[in-house]
């Protein structure tokens, strides 16, 4: 099964910053954001056919407790 990935961009800390799919892909592009400790704080799913239309994007935020554990929402 092909993931249809064109490029993967990385942060300077070795974390995935974004995944861009090949032209014509039906899979979504992805973008990730991290806090200063390297914990993922958000993931944005950009449907490939509408990647330039922010109204169609879905963002998931990761809320953590004082120990750094992801809390259930």
């Amino acid at each position: 099964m092909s993931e249809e990935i064109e490029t993967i961009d990385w942060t300077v800390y070795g974390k995935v910053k974004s995944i861009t799919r090949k032209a014509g892909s039906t899979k979504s592009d992805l973008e990730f954001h991290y806090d200063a400790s390297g914990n993922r704080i958000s993931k944005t799913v950009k449907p490939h056919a509408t990647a330039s239309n922010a109204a169609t994007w879905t963002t998931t935020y990761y809320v953590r407790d004082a120990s750094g554990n992801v809390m259930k929402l």
Side-chain angles (χ1 to χ4, degrees), residues 27-57:
K27 298 185 180 200
S28 300
D29 292 340
L30 303 172
E31 186 175 297
F32 303 95
H33 291 96
Y34 302 89
D35 65 13
S37 298
N39 297 310
R40 183 183 297 171
I41 57 173
S42 70
K43 174 177 85 171
T44 303
V45 178
K46 302 176 180 180
H48 196 70
T50 61
S52 62
N53 184 359
T56 63
W57 300 354

